[in-house]
Amino acid sequence: MRPPVVQLQREPDIAYIRQYDGVTIDPKTGLLFQNGQALWGSTDFPQRERTPLFHKHLFRPKKQLDRAIVLHHAFDNNYFHFLLIIAPKLWLAQCHGIDPHVPALVSSRLAAQPFFEDAVNLGLFGDREIIVQGKTEVVAARRAYTVRSHEYDLEAAEWICDKLGAHPLESSNNRIYIHRGSKAANARHIRNQSELNQLLTRYGITFFDPQEHSLRQQIDTVAQASLIIGPHGAGLTNMMFRRKAPCRVIELLNPSWCGAHYYLMSKQRGYEYHWVLNKNEGASKQASADADLEAIEKLLCAMT
């Protein structure tokens, strides 16, 4: 079996908190402006600083903040990016003593996500005020903090788990399949899903579609899973809630879409990680494919 094509990181893995005074904050990108001029490189993802609302920064904003932590991100409506990139900013801000009374500024796109509301209600932000920036609303700040944490920072992940009430549990033997259901963000599905379901059922694996459950239910379910299997996608981010207990992970990968995210998370946490390449992939990296049932069964058989 040939190894998957892994997307290598080309940018340095750096962490920082930057302070900017007298700025306006773009609602589309989170890019900062000063005196009407764009401060390129002021977001956590400079490669995606595209077409901000330039003209909006030429007028005095209606909303004036004294201070704010800018939590914008190019993919802030994605569950993986929220838990692995945005939430760690709160941890880093706390570590470096940013006053807990400094509000967090989030995009309206993130605020509209059910997982965001769940995370707020579970206590991720503590007592820190949350300000939602309108879709076309430029906000001014006397002082703004932009934050970037290290990727896959285990200490940050443990802090997030504590804040969300994802406590370490005694070892359990639950085996789950993280299903990409009809509400998944794109059309990257398993074409032979019914045959895969039959195979997994024979090995006592239950089906779990994160999109159909609250964040609390996702935490409690995956925290008890000794085996997690699923196609590459944000649902596998939930493995972070399996804390300080053995776990095996089987990731189903499309040959053209093999990000190393869940491999790195597994190795960092001491999980036993395996990958299986899907077959007959369509032309697009978002295309559906067939699960390799033979390879999956071979792995499951070895685990029994």
Side-chain angles (χ1 to χ4, degrees):
M1 182 182 295
R2 63 188 179 89
V5 178
V6 176
Q7 296 177 340
L8 298 177
Q9 179 176 303
R10 294 179 173 83
E11 296 295 324
D13 180 20
I14 58 175
Y16 57 73
I17 297 178
R18 293 173 179 164
Q19 175 183 306
Y20 296 85
D21 291 339
V23 294
T24 53
I25 303 156
D26 191 72
K28 185 178 177 182
T29 63
L31 184 69
L32 302 185
F33 281 66
Q34 200 166 56
N35 299 321
Q37 299 294 313
L39 300 178
W40 298 109
S42 59
T43 73
D44 65 347
F45 199 177
Q47 308 94 308
R48 298 286 297 191
E49 292 178 348
R50 302 172 184 172
T51 58
L53 303 180
F54 289 100
H55 67 287
K56 293 278 188 178
H57 296 268
L58 300 178
F59 306 96
R60 182 178 176 83
K62 293 181 180 179
K63 185 172 289 184
Q64 307 273 336
L65 303 179
D66 181 54
R67 294 177 295 172
I69 301 173
V70 181
L71 295 188
H72 290 65
H73 178 67
F75 305 107
D76 57 10
N77 61 334
N78 179 277
Y79 186 68
F80 169 87
H81 290 264
F82 174 66
L83 286 176
L84 271 294
I85 295 177
I86 297 172
K89 297 181 182 187
L90 297 169
W91 168 77
L92 200 60
Q94 176 179 295
C95 289
H96 288 273
I98 292 183
D99 191 327
H101 294 101
V102 176
L105 185 68
V106 304
S107 73
S108 57
R109 185 172 67 165
L110 172 58
Q113 303 305 313
F115 61 74
F116 177 79
E117 182 179 356
D118 285 349
V120 172
N121 291 335
L122 289 174
L124 178 63
F125 286 77
D127 295 328
R128 193 179 297 278
E129 181 186 1
I130 300 168
I131 297 176
V132 178
Q133 186 172 8
K135 188 176 181 180
T136 62
E137 178 189 31
V138 168
V139 173
R142 181 186 64 82
R143 175 163 294 173
Y145 301 96
T146 62
V147 186
R148 175 173 171 170
S149 67
H150 288 300
E151 293 192 21
Y152 313 106
D153 193 305
L154 185 58
E155 190 173 351
E158 291 292 281
W159 179 87
I160 292 165
C161 286
D162 287 339
K163 297 291 283 187
L164 295 176
H167 302 300
L169 302 174
E170 293 183 8
S171 183
S172 61
N173 248 355
N174 292 1
R175 299 151 70 86
I176 63 171
Y177 174 79
I178 303 291
H179 179 55
R180 287 182 64 83
S182 60
K183 296 181 181 179
N186 56 56
R188 194 174 64 245
H189 298 300
I190 302 297
R191 286 196 294 264
N192 58 342
Q193 187 69 57
S194 60
E195 292 87 351
L196 176 59
N197 292 353
Q198 294 173 27
L199 169 63
L200 298 176
T201 299
R202 292 204 304 271
Y203 284 87
I205 296 171
T206 58
F207 301 88
F208 186 76
D209 183 352
Q211 295 275 5
E212 300 293 338
H213 297 274
S214 68
L215 179 56
R216 175 79 274 156
Q217 291 168 328
Q218 292 179 61
I219 291 170
D220 293 343
T221 298
V222 181
Q224 301 178 64
S226 61
L227 171 64
I228 300 170
I229 180 171
H232 178 84
L236 287 177
T237 309
N238 285 304
M239 72 170 68
M240 68 185 288
F241 302 128
R242 174 72 173 180
R243 302 177 67 189
K244 302 177 182 178
C247 186
R248 289 167 166 166
V249 176
I250 301 176
E251 184 177 8
L252 310 183
L253 295 164
N254 278 9
S256 67
W257 192 240
C258 295
H261 315 305
Y262 304 111
Y263 165 78
L264 294 172
M265 288 179 66
S266 296
K267 291 303 180 183
Q268 183 185 59
R269 290 159 173 76
Y271 299 162
E272 179 184 323
Y273 175 88
H274 304 270
W275 54 266
V276 174
L277 282 183
N278 294 324
K279 303 187 299 183
N280 306 319
E281 180 187 16
S284 166
K285 68 182 182 181
Q286 302 294 343
S288 298
D290 294 319
D292 187 337
L293 302 180
E294 182 179 350
I296 294 170
E297 183 161 25
K298 184 177 180 180
L299 274 174
L300 293 176
C301 186
M303 293 177 180
T304 57

